[in-house]
Coordinates of all heavy atoms in Angstrom, one line a residue:
E284 N -79.8 0.1 -5.4 CA -78.8 1.2 -5.1 C -78.2 1.6 -6.5 O -78.3 1.0 -7.5 CB -77.9 0.9 -4.1 CG -78.4 0.6 -2.7 CD -79.0 1.8 -2.1 OE1 -78.7 3.0 -2.4 OE2 -80.0 1.6 -1.3
T285 N -77.3 2.6 -6.4 CA -76.6 3.1 -7.5 C -75.4 2.2 -7.8 O -75.0 1.3 -7.1 CB -76.1 4.5 -7.3 OG1 -75.3 4.5 -6.1 CG2 -77.3 5.5 -7.1
E286 N -74.7 2.4 -9.0 CA -73.7 1.6 -9.4 C -72.4 1.7 -8.4 O -71.8 0.8 -8.2 CB -73.3 2.0 -10.8 CG -72.1 1.2 -11.3 CD -71.7 1.8 -12.7 OE1 -72.4 2.7 -13.2 OE2 -70.7 1.2 -13.2
I287 N -72.3 2.9 -7.8 CA -71.1 3.1 -7.0 C -71.2 2.3 -5.7 O -70.2 1.6 -5.3 CB -71.0 4.6 -6.7 CG1 -70.7 5.4 -8.0 CG2 -69.8 4.9 -5.8 CD1 -70.8 6.9 -7.8
A288 N -72.3 2.3 -5.1 CA -72.5 1.5 -3.8 C -72.4 0.0 -4.1 O -71.7 -0.7 -3.3 CB -73.8 1.8 -3.2
S289 N -72.9 -0.4 -5.2 CA -72.8 -1.9 -5.5 C -71.4 -2.3 -5.7 O -71.0 -3.4 -5.3 CB -73.6 -2.2 -6.8 OG -73.4 -3.4 -7.2
R290 N -70.7 -1.5 -6.5 CA -69.2 -1.8 -6.7 C -68.4 -1.9 -5.4 O -67.5 -2.7 -5.2 CB -68.6 -0.8 -7.7 CG -67.2 -1.2 -8.1 CD -66.7 -0.2 -9.1 NE -67.3 -0.2 -10.4 CZ -68.3 0.7 -10.8 NH1 -68.4 1.7 -10.1 NH2 -68.8 0.5 -11.9
D291 N -68.6 -0.9 -4.5 CA -67.9 -0.8 -3.3 C -68.1 -2.1 -2.4 O -67.2 -2.7 -1.8 CB -68.3 0.4 -2.5 CG -67.8 1.6 -3.2 OD1 -66.8 1.6 -4.0 OD2 -68.2 2.7 -2.9
K292 N -69.5 -2.5 -2.3 CA -69.8 -3.6 -1.5 C -69.2 -4.9 -2.1 O -68.7 -5.8 -1.4 CB -71.3 -3.7 -1.3 CG -71.9 -2.6 -0.5 CD -73.4 -2.8 -0.3 CE -74.0 -1.6 0.5 NZ -75.4 -1.7 0.6
Q293 N -69.3 -5.0 -3.3 CA -68.7 -6.1 -4.1 C -67.2 -6.3 -3.8 O -66.7 -7.4 -3.7 CB -69.1 -6.2 -5.6 CG -68.7 -7.4 -6.3 CD -69.5 -8.6 -5.8 OE1 -70.7 -8.4 -5.3 NE2 -69.0 -9.8 -5.8
I294 N -66.5 -5.2 -4.0 CA -65.1 -5.2 -3.7 C -64.8 -5.7 -2.3 O -63.8 -6.4 -2.1 CB -64.5 -3.7 -3.9 CG1 -64.5 -3.5 -5.5 CG2 -63.1 -3.8 -3.4 CD1 -64.2 -2.1 -5.8
D295 N -65.7 -5.1 -1.4 CA -65.5 -5.7 0.1 C -65.6 -7.2 0.2 O -64.9 -7.9 0.8 CB -66.4 -5.0 1.0 CG -66.1 -3.5 1.1 OD1 -64.9 -3.1 0.8 OD2 -67.0 -2.7 1.4
L296 N -66.7 -7.7 -0.6 CA -66.9 -9.2 -0.6 C -65.7 -9.9 -1.2 O -65.3 -10.9 -0.7 CB -68.1 -9.5 -1.4 CG -68.5 -10.8 -1.6 CD1 -68.7 -11.6 -0.3 CD2 -69.7 -11.1 -2.5
I297 N -65.2 -9.4 -2.3 CA -64.1 -10.1 -2.9 C -62.8 -10.1 -2.0 O -62.0 -11.1 -1.8 CB -63.6 -9.4 -4.2 CG1 -64.8 -9.6 -5.3 CG2 -62.4 -9.9 -4.9 CD1 -64.8 -8.8 -6.4
E298 N -62.5 -8.9 -1.4 CA -61.4 -8.8 -0.4 C -61.5 -9.7 0.8 O -60.6 -10.4 1.2 CB -61.3 -7.4 0.1 CG -60.9 -6.4 -0.9 CD -59.5 -6.7 -1.5 OE1 -58.7 -7.2 -0.7 OE2 -59.2 -6.3 -2.6
A299 N -62.8 -9.9 1.3 CA -63.0 -10.9 2.5 C -62.7 -12.3 2.0 O -62.1 -13.0 2.6 CB -64.4 -10.7 2.9
A300 N -63.3 -12.6 0.8 CA -63.0 -14.0 0.3 C -61.6 -14.2 0.1 O -61.0 -15.3 0.3 CB -63.8 -14.2 -1.0
K301 N -61.0 -13.2 -0.5 CA -59.4 -13.3 -0.8 C -58.6 -13.5 0.6 O -57.7 -14.2 0.7 CB -59.0 -12.1 -1.6 CG -57.5 -12.2 -2.1 CD -57.1 -10.9 -2.7 CE -58.0 -10.6 -3.9 NZ -57.5 -9.4 -4.5
Q302 N -59.0 -12.7 1.6 CA -58.3 -12.8 2.8 C -58.5 -14.2 3.5 O -57.6 -14.9 4.0 CB -59.0 -11.8 3.8 CG -58.3 -11.7 5.2 CD -56.9 -11.0 5.1 OE1 -56.7 -10.3 4.1 NE2 -56.1 -11.3 6.1
A303 N -59.8 -14.8 3.4 CA -60.0 -16.0 3.9 C -59.2 -17.1 3.2 O -58.6 -18.0 3.8 CB -61.5 -16.4 4.0
E304 N -59.2 -17.0 1.9 CA -58.5 -18.0 1.1 C -56.9 -18.0 1.3 O -56.3 -18.9 1.5 CB -58.8 -17.8 -0.3 CG -58.3 -19.0 -1.4 CD -59.0 -20.2 -1.1 OE1 -60.1 -20.2 -0.5 OE2 -58.4 -21.3 -1.4
T305 N -56.5 -16.7 1.5 CA -55.1 -16.5 1.7 C -54.7 -17.2 3.1 O -53.6 -17.9 3.2 CB -54.7 -15.1 1.7 OG1 -55.1 -14.5 0.4 CG2 -53.2 -14.9 1.9
E306 N -55.4 -16.9 4.1 CA -55.1 -17.5 5.4 C -55.3 -19.1 5.3 O -54.4 -19.7 6.0 CB -56.1 -17.0 6.4 CG -56.0 -15.5 6.8 CD -57.2 -15.0 7.7 OE1 -58.0 -15.8 8.0 OE2 -57.1 -13.8 8.0
A307 N -56.2 -19.6 4.7 CA -56.3 -21.0 4.6 C -55.0 -21.6 3.8 O -54.4 -22.6 4.2 CB -57.6 -21.5 3.8
I308 N -54.6 -21.0 2.8 CA -53.5 -21.4 2.1 C -52.2 -21.3 2.9 O -51.4 -22.2 2.9 CB -53.3 -20.6 0.7 CG1 -54.5 -20.9 -0.2 CG2 -52.0 -20.9 0.1 CD1 -54.6 -20.0 -1.4
A309 N -52.1 -20.2 3.7 CA -50.9 -20.1 4.5 C -50.8 -21.2 5.5 O -49.8 -21.7 5.9 CB -51.0 -18.7 5.2
V310 N -52.0 -21.5 6.1 CA -52.0 -22.6 7.1 C -51.6 -23.9 6.4 O -50.8 -24.7 7.0 CB -53.4 -22.7 7.8 CG1 -53.5 -23.9 8.7 CG2 -53.7 -21.4 8.6
R311 N -52.2 -24.1 5.3 CA -51.9 -25.4 4.6 C -50.4 -25.5 4.2 O -49.8 -26.5 4.4 CB -52.8 -25.5 3.3 CG -52.7 -26.9 2.6 CD -53.6 -26.8 1.4 NE -54.8 -26.4 1.7 CZ -55.7 -25.9 0.9 NH1 -55.2 -25.7 -0.5 NH2 -56.9 -25.5 1.2
V312 N -49.8 -24.4 3.7 CA -48.5 -24.4 3.4 C -47.6 -24.6 4.5 O -46.6 -25.2 4.5 CB -48.2 -23.1 2.6 CG1 -46.7 -22.9 2.4 CG2 -48.9 -23.1 1.3
S313 N -47.9 -23.9 5.7 CA -47.2 -24.1 6.9 C -47.2 -25.5 7.3 O -46.1 -26.1 7.7 CB -47.7 -23.2 8.0 OG -47.0 -23.4 9.2
A314 N -48.4 -26.2 7.3 CA -48.4 -27.6 7.7 C -47.6 -28.5 6.9 O -46.8 -29.4 7.3 CB -49.9 -28.1 7.8
E315 N -47.6 -28.3 5.6 CA -46.9 -29.0 4.6 C -45.4 -28.8 4.9 O -44.6 -29.7 4.7 CB -47.3 -28.8 3.2 CG -48.8 -29.2 2.9 CD -48.9 -30.7 2.9 OE1 -47.9 -31.4 2.6 OE2 -50.0 -31.2 3.2

């Protein structure tokens, strides 16, 4: 595909990873 579609999908991937990591950190911080 073109550069624009690649960048959009990669940003979605980064946002998903960031969301998952944030939730894990929030749970860990809450437990601690």
Side-chain angles (χ1 to χ4, degrees):
E284 298 296 334
T285 61
E286 181 183 0
I287 298 173
S289 174
R290 186 179 294 109
D291 291 339
K292 291 181 180 180
Q293 189 63 34
I294 290 172
D295 292 339
L296 177 62
I297 294 170
E298 290 297 332
K301 187 186 297 183
Q302 183 75 19
E304 188 67 23
T305 303
E306 291 176 358
I308 293 170
V310 173
R311 189 182 308 157
V312 171
S313 176
E315 294 293 336

